[in-house]
């Protein structure tokens, strides 16, 4: 279930390890990759930030290698433009050292600590007291990768059924009966729920626990004017706030040659709400009544307000990005399409950091697959297939 990059990668893997099985991917939209997979930064992460030994660290490291090979095989864009993480002040040196420690433990290749002068040689417009360079961090076209996965599923005899919104799941002995909004019923031996922003709701339909719930955080972007894209050669990131799983507003070169600035992280008023005016009362209600959200809000309301301000006031958004690329001005950027992150939140108010994948009889549920899940998709698929069939 779910024709995002995770559902499609899992389906593709199942056609490889069980060529005798009939594999079907269901999605409510009329195209693949409509939600998170089609609205992200397009970065193949090398594995810098993640706690050594976590699923994120191991699946990201393995996933980036598999993704690079896959893109080469399929002739899809994969550009190793490299990334710098910039410490803006001495206060950020300790968190930068922790990122370096984690990245080294995760086996990220080619890492180098940079002085301010060395940083300028790599990114002439970036400024900071120190930086970390990851030359193998790359940019890709995730929707194109997802479409290629869908083509692989079809070529192996599987089916990608679009326009099929799952509204009911029922166990019938060892099997699962899936019903669509249009009243159609399909029976499966095994089901993998990869429903992204709706994953908690669908997992609940399958009888799974309500926790963790999805809280949607919109990530808004601006795009550099074409005559200003020379401000950035590759990828320029700040040192992120270690309290959050988000990486901070950064500069991302895209495979089409453009440069995006973002994403921020503001609470979305609809799970698939890409603009401020997209409000879905049922989604707002689900967020507000989740005890984990109320605890999160009590603890982090100051950060929430700051993000809101940056969302409402372009100059505030730009000021944040200018703190490590000082030549940037508000006139250099125009609004670009946003994405919404499916961030799982536990009942105690903590943002679930690692990927979370559960199993309930014949149903595997992917409950938390935020960044770097797109990078890790081929490795996540191996992991899920092993879990499902092992
Ligand atoms: C702003 C932003 C920036 C990011 N940047 C990066 C990055 O640079 N690098 C990286 O590796 N990752 C990044 N990510 C994370 C990455 O995009 C996600 O981890 C990944 O796309 C998750 O894929 P998915 O298949 O789980 O979810 P999705 O792509 O959201 O797919 C879920 C699918 O399930 C379908 N669905 C849901 N409910 C139902 C239902 N009831 N019936 C039928 N179908 C249903 C939806 O229509 C959807 O197609 C970013 C995410 C965001 C939002």
């Amino acid at each position: 279930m779910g024709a995002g990059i995770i559902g499609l990668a899992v389906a593709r893997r199942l056609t490889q390890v069980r060529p005798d099985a009939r594999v079907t991917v269901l999605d409510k939209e009329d195209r693949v990759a409509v939600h998170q997979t089609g609205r992200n930064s397009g970065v193949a992460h090398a594995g810098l930030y993640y706690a050594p030994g976590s699923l994120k660290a191991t699946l990201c490291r393995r996933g980036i290698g598999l993704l690079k090979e896959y893109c080469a095989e399929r002739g899809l864009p994969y550009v190793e433009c490299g990334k710098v993480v910039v410490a803006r002040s001495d206060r950020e040196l300790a968190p930068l050292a922790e990122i370096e420690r984690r990245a080294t433990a995760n086996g990220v290749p080619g890492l180098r600590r940079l002085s301010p002068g060395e940083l300028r040689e790599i990114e002439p417009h970036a400024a900071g007291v120190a930086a970390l360079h990851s030359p193998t961090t790359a940019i890709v076209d995730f929707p194109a990768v997802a479409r290629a996965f869908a083509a692989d599923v079809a070529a192996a005899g599987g089916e990608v059924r679009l326009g099929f919104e799952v509204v009911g799941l029922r166990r019938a002995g060892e099997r699962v009966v899936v019903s669509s909004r249009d009243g159609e019923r399909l029976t499966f031996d095994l089901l993998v729920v990869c429903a992204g922003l709706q994953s908690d709701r669908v997992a609940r339909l399958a009888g799974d626990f309500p926790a963790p719930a999805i809280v949607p955080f919109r990530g808004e972007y601006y795009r550099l004017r074409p005559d200003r894209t020379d401000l950035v050669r590759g990828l320029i990131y700040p040192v992120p706030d270690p309290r959050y799983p988000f990486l901070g507003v950064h500069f991302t070169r895209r495979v089409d040659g453009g440069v995006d600035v973002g994403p921020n992280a503001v609470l979305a008023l609809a799970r698939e709400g890409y603009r401020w005016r997209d409000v879905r009362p049922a989604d707002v209600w689900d967020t507000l009544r989740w005890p984990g959200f109320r605890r999160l809000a009590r603890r982090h309301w100051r950060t929430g307000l700051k993000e809101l301000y940056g969302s409402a006031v372009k100059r505030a958004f730009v000021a944040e990005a200018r703190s490590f690329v000082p030549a940037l001005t508000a006139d250099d950027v125009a609004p670009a399409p946003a994405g919404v992150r499916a961030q799982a939140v536990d009942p105690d108010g903590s943002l679930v950091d690692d990927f979370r994948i559960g199993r309930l009889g014949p149903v595997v549920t992917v409950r938390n697959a935020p960044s770097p899940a797109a990078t890790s998709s081929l490795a996540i698929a191996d992991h899920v297939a092993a879990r499902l069939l092992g």
Side-chain angles (χ1 to χ4, degrees):
M1 242 206 83
I5 201 164
I6 303 298
L8 291 165
V10 168
R12 175 181 175 274
R13 184 69 188 145
L14 291 174
T15 63
Q16 292 173 338
V17 293
R18 286 284 303 273
D20 52 318
R22 277 186 60 195
V23 177
T24 308
V25 183
L26 304 173
D27 201 291
K28 61 188 170 66
E29 304 295 345
D30 61 0
R31 284 171 296 129
V32 305
V34 168
H35 295 292
Q36 295 177 95
T37 301
R39 293 171 165 271
N40 61 44
S41 297
V43 176
H45 288 289
L48 268 69
Y49 308 92
Y50 320 117
S54 62
L55 279 179
K56 268 190 180 175
T58 51
L59 297 179
C60 177
R61 280 301 312 141
R62 192 167 131 64
I64 189 174
L66 294 172
L67 182 65
K68 181 177 175 180
E69 268 170 36
Y70 184 80
C71 289
E73 262 166 39
R74 299 297 302 253
L76 297 169
Y78 185 98
V79 185
E80 272 182 358
C81 58
K83 148 176 177 166
V84 287
V85 183
V86 180
R88 290 163 286 188
S89 68
D90 288 350
R91 240 174 353 114
E92 291 186 340
L93 289 175
L96 185 70
E98 173 60 13
I99 294 170
E100 187 173 11
R101 185 194 72 76
R102 289 182 172 202
T104 307
N106 293 342
V108 176
L111 278 181
R112 195 157 67 95
R113 189 66 174 255
L114 305 176
S115 66
E118 289 165 332
L119 168 62
R120 270 194 305 279
E121 277 167 29
I122 293 173
E123 287 289 355
H125 293 282
V129 297
L132 190 62
H133 183 220
S134 160
T136 61
T137 300
I139 51 175
V140 285
D141 180 347
F142 284 125
V145 172
R147 287 192 294 272
F149 288 171
D152 291 345
V153 171
E159 193 186 355
V160 180
R161 281 205 55 188
L162 302 172
F164 189 109
E165 181 175 1
V166 176
V167 294
L169 292 177
R170 189 169 53 78
R171 293 277 284 278
E174 295 296 293
R175 313 182 85 196
V176 197
V177 182
V178 174
S179 356
S180 77
R181 186 165 294 285
D182 303 332
E184 189 176 347
R185 285 202 172 83
L186 300 173
T187 304
F188 297 97
D189 299 306
L190 298 165
L191 175 73
V192 187
V193 176
C194 309
L197 287 154
Q198 312 291 342
S199 56
D200 55 341
R201 290 174 175 159
V202 181
R204 275 204 311 272
L205 287 179
D208 204 357
F209 297 109
I214 293 295
V215 175
F217 284 98
R218 192 171 45 251
E220 295 160 332
Y221 292 91
Y222 282 94
R223 186 155 257 229
L224 283 186
R225 265 185 8 218
D227 59 324
R228 294 296 275 163
T229 54
D230 58 350
L231 282 177
V232 179
R233 286 183 176 162
L235 305 163
I236 313 179
Y237 284 60
V239 170
D241 184 330
R243 290 174 300 166
Y244 304 106
F246 312 128
L247 299 181
V249 164
H250 47 263
F251 291 78
T252 315
R253 189 161 278 281
R254 314 290 309 216
V255 290
D256 66 8
V259 174
D260 283 348
V261 189
N264 59 359
V266 286
L267 186 68
L269 301 178
R271 290 202 182 188
E272 293 162 2
Y274 298 105
R275 297 159 307 180
W276 263 117
R277 61 175 179 275
D278 296 334
V279 180
R280 202 172 164 262
D283 290 350
V284 177
W285 173 239
D286 273 359
T287 298
L288 292 178
R289 75 189 173 134
W290 178 242
F293 172 73
R294 296 201 296 271
R295 293 191 178 105
L296 175 75
R298 267 202 296 280
R299 237 172 274 152
H300 298 291
W301 60 271
R302 275 193 194 85
T303 310
L305 285 182
K306 188 171 160 246
E307 289 289 318
L308 274 180
Y309 184 61
S311 168
V313 182
K314 181 182 181 186
R315 294 162 77 90
F317 190 106
V318 169
E320 184 66 26
R322 202 176 29 229
S323 64
F324 52 105
V325 177
L328 183 77
T329 70
D331 292 339
D332 294 335
V333 294
V340 179
R341 305 175 185 83
Q343 176 60 51
V345 177
D346 268 329
D348 67 0
S350 52
L351 297 161
V352 178
D353 190 38
D354 208 359
F355 299 148
R356 200 175 279 180
I357 298 165
R359 171 140 202 193
L360 203 78
V363 183
V364 165
T365 51
V366 177
R367 298 289 303 252
N368 194 46
S371 183
T375 305
S376 318
S377 52
L378 287 163
I380 293 176
D382 281 2
H383 178 85
V384 168
R387 187 99 196 246
L388 197 64
L389 306 173

